[in-house]
Amino acid sequence: MNEPSLKLEYGNSLAAAPVIREPLHAPVAHLVRGGVIEGIHYGSVVVLAADGTVELQIGDIEAAFYPRSAVKPLQAAAMLRAGLPLDGELLSLAAASHSGEERHLAGTRRILELAGLTEDRLRNVPDLPFDPVVREAWIREGRLPSRLAQNCSGKHAAMLYTAKLNGWSLDDYLDPAHPLQQAIAEIVEDLTGQAIARVSVDGCGAPLFSVSLHGLARAAAGITTAAPGTPEAQVADAMREHAEMASGSGRDVAALMRAVPGLLSKDGFEGVQFAALPDGRSVAVKIADGADRARIPVAAAALARAGVDPAALAEFGGAPLLGGGVVVGHVRPARALDPLPAQDMCA
């Protein structure tokens, strides 16, 4: 299969690109029904201490993988570096995988208006809203898929705005060779600390850069520990303050940021999530089969291993398994993710 090409001059400070191989995933979550393990989700998890050292690794944290939408905060920071003048709710939307609520559509329209552009300039794929309730209402009203409703429209509107401000071409803003995408690739390498392994295309049509799970965790820590006023810090502040704009009113990633003060978190399709604290502690998760039901319980367990109070994470233990309408089981993170005894945890 032909992949888009990307030509970059890698700096000497960058680690080599992660190896493209079949990831050596390990069990990270069990489906327990009636006391019996009914299913196993494999994946990989990394927990970094505040100084960047690896405190826990499960599975394969160094193989090349696609972070999917978890890379959006990096894309937004790259656009700020290139002069994008957004802040607050609109900046959070620029880093969003939104639910397609009216606030998200209105915000995307506002970004386009600021750029002096219209919806027809967007090059993301048309889709229905991501949120099931919003989607059902959309269908009942006879509304068709649209680029505005697709969950990446805020990012795409911000990309167009950035390109226009810099005098870059608009029709090909998704080309990996476009100056905008080159600027994004540069910050991906800068924050992950490693060369990009391969470039493909994300579901929305934007270039997708392959790094390692370890690299994603480093990038997350780099964003949350960035100096005040820097593009990275601005993105983190906007997403934390406007978590529902970066996701949706009913989304677990927004609830997680509300539950843990100072936490920045972003999810991505195919079971990806990162979460990072202001002191640099960070976690990154990849569920091998892409199962969403395992993503949030495993991420929460990883945060507990990073030192977050398990009581603050209690609501993220995962959806119960039902039998005849009665709770008979649950999704349980693997024992390797159990919190350490208090005396073994860092202060």
Side-chain angles (χ1 to χ4, degrees):
M1 181 176 69
N2 293 326
E3 298 280 1
S5 62
L6 182 75
K7 295 180 180 179
L8 294 169
E9 295 296 330
Y10 298 129
N12 292 332
S13 61
L14 290 177
V19 176
I20 299 172
R21 64 184 178 218
E22 180 177 347
L24 303 173
H25 291 304
V28 293
H30 294 154
L31 275 68
V32 181
R33 182 184 296 269
V36 173
I37 295 176
E38 183 178 33
I40 300 174
H41 288 293
Y42 283 70
S44 296
V45 179
V46 59
V47 177
L48 299 185
D51 63 1
T53 57
V54 176
E55 287 206 330
L56 174 71
Q57 66 178 82
I58 299 174
D60 195 341
I61 69 170
E62 303 297 353
F65 92 120
Y66 291 118
R68 303 300 298 270
S69 285
V71 80
K72 284 179 178 175
L74 283 68
Q75 293 170 318
M79 289 187 272
L80 289 185
R81 286 187 182 185
L84 182 68
L86 297 181
D87 59 13
E89 289 188 346
L90 295 184
L91 178 54
S92 184
L93 182 61
S97 298
H98 66 70
S99 291
E101 300 167 31
E102 186 52 44
R103 73 174 97 185
H104 302 127
L105 276 60
T108 301
R109 291 190 192 98
R110 180 57 182 155
I111 295 173
L112 290 169
E113 288 170 1
L114 290 170
L117 300 171
T118 55
E119 182 182 345
D120 61 355
R121 301 308 295 267
L122 295 171
R123 291 292 177 266
N124 57 315
V125 294
D127 202 356
L128 294 169
F130 180 76
D131 183 90
V133 175
V134 178
R135 186 189 313 125
E136 289 174 7
W138 191 282
I139 293 171
R140 283 197 306 270
E141 294 165 6
R143 303 170 75 177
L144 299 174
S146 78
R147 298 184 193 276
L148 203 64
Q150 197 267 340
N151 77 90
C152 302
S153 64
K155 176 185 77 174
H156 281 256
M159 285 181 170
L160 282 167
Y161 193 5
T162 305
K164 186 170 182 183
L165 287 169
N166 284 277
W168 297 331
S169 56
L170 301 183
D171 289 343
D172 63 342
Y173 74 93
L174 296 181
D175 188 324
H178 192 280
L180 171 64
Q181 302 304 333
Q182 291 283 297
I184 291 172
E186 180 179 349
I187 198 171
V188 168
E189 293 189 325
D190 181 18
L191 292 177
T192 63
Q194 60 189 172
I196 291 166
R198 181 164 294 179
V199 184
S200 187
V201 181
D202 209 340
C204 67
L208 182 60
F209 306 117
S210 182
V211 292
S212 70
L213 195 67
H214 191 178
L216 178 63
R218 281 195 298 262
I223 292 174
T224 57
T225 59
T230 60
E232 294 84 351
Q234 291 177 59
V235 171
D237 290 343
M239 292 180 67
R240 288 182 294 219
E241 186 174 352
H242 304 282
E244 287 78 10
M245 205 65 161
S247 53
S249 56
R251 298 273 289 283
D252 55 36
V253 69
L256 185 62
M257 286 194 279
R258 289 194 302 268
V260 182
L263 185 74
L264 176 69
S265 189
K266 183 71 185 74
D267 55 348
F269 278 147
E270 298 303 325
V272 179
Q273 183 153 349
F274 79 70
L277 293 153
D279 64 2
R281 287 175 290 162
S282 66
V283 308
V285 170
K286 164 64 181 173
I287 306 300
D289 61 3
D292 209 45
R293 66 181 175 184
R295 172 186 53 81
I296 195 69
V298 171
L303 281 170
R305 282 299 298 264
V308 175
D309 183 358
L313 301 166
E315 67 178 286
F316 306 102
L321 301 179
L322 303 180
V326 178
V327 176
V328 295
H330 56 284
V331 177
R332 189 197 187 285
R335 296 289 182 186
L337 281 160
D338 283 352
L340 294 173
Q343 64 268 25
D344 293 336
M345 296 185 69
C346 297

